[in-house]
């Protein structure tokens, strides 16, 4: 019964002969202002603010002059953009967290990975990330998972951050001038209890 219902929906969507309208719309429709506004609104509404101590967010776009974006997902963009969509995004822009900072404030944004990838155990870059964190007005940690962690036909093997990411988060948060902001990119569950309990993580 479930399979029959599934295929009825797929037939209504035009997944079989003849080709349906959802398989035949041009990229100009995907990149229209309406579609872009809709996708941006979806991303905004699907984000969850789980912690905000003493008004850590929102940042004052005019007062903040320097931001460090630190973590293995600091440049996450191109690696995931074509997973459920075209290989080249609308406008050819592979936006990152640093781009978001500079587009919505007067601050300069400096990137340091700290840990090369979400699954890496290489901690040799943490010292440089910690040094950077000491010099800026605000620190945003971009951590979590990516498609090497889990994707279609490859389930996540754990809900725990790697030791390298946990070490990066703890050391950078301890070194920063004020409580840091952690942005967790993930499509799988992650245990963030240590982050929630850390007083040096503001949001």
């Amino acid at each position: 019964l479930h399979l029959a219902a599934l295929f009825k929906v797929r037939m209504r969507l035009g997944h079989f002969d003849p080709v349906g309208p959802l398989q035949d719309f041009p990229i100009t429709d995907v990149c229209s202002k309406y579609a872009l506004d809709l996708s941006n609104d979806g991303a905004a509404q699907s984000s969850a603010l789980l912690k905000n101590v003493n008004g850590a967010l929102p940042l004052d776009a005019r007062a903040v002059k320097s931001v460090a974006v630190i973590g293995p997902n600091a440049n996450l963009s191109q690696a995931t953009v074509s997973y459920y969509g075209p290989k080249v995004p609308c406008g050819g822009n592979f936006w990152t967290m640093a781009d978001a900072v500079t587009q919505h404030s007067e601050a300069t944004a400096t990137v340091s990975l700290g840990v090369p990838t979400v699954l890496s155990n290489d901690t040799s870059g943490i010292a440089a990330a910690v040094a950077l964190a000491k010099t800026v007005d605000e620190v945003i940690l971009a951590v979590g998972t990516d498609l090497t962690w889990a994707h279609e036909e490859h389930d996540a093997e754990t809900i725990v951050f790697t030791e390298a990411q946990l070490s990066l988060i703890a050391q950078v948060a301890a070194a920063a001038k004020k409580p840091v902001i952690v942005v967790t990119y993930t499509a799988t569950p992650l245990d963030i209890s240590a982050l929630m309990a850390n007083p040096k993580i503001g949001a």
Side-chain angles (χ1 to χ4, degrees), residues 12 25 34 36 45 78 80 91 96-97 99 102 107 111 128 130 133-134 142 144 149 151 157 159 172 184 189 195 203:
R12 288 170 56 196
F25 57 84
Y34 168 78
L36 290 175
Q45 290 196 49
Q78 192 164 354
T80 59
T96 66
M97 178 62 72
D99 293 321
T102 56
V111 172
V130 167
K134 294 177 179 179
W149 189 291
H151 57 79
E157 297 177 1
I159 63 167
V172 167
T184 305
L195 282 64

Side-chain angles (χ1 to χ4, degrees), residues 29-117:
D29 287 348
V30 176
C31 293
S32 68
K33 183 180 184 307
Y34 168 78
L36 290 175
D37 288 346
L38 188 65
S39 64
N40 287 333
D41 185 57
Q45 290 196 49
S46 66
S47 298
L49 180 60
L50 301 177
K51 182 179 182 181
N52 196 19
V53 179
N54 298 325
L57 289 175
L59 298 178
D60 187 334
R62 286 171 290 190
V64 176
K65 299 303 179 186
S66 59
V67 176
V69 180
I70 296 172
N73 279 341
N75 291 322
L76 184 65
S77 177
Q78 192 164 354
T80 59
V81 74
S82 63
Y83 189 48
Y84 280 120
K87 292 183 178 179
V88 178
C90 300
N93 298 310
F94 296 90
W95 301 119
T96 66
M97 178 62 72
D99 293 321
V101 169
T102 56
Q103 287 175 17
H104 296 284
S105 74
E106 299 175 4
T108 57
T110 305
V111 172
S112 175
L113 298 184
V115 176
T117 66

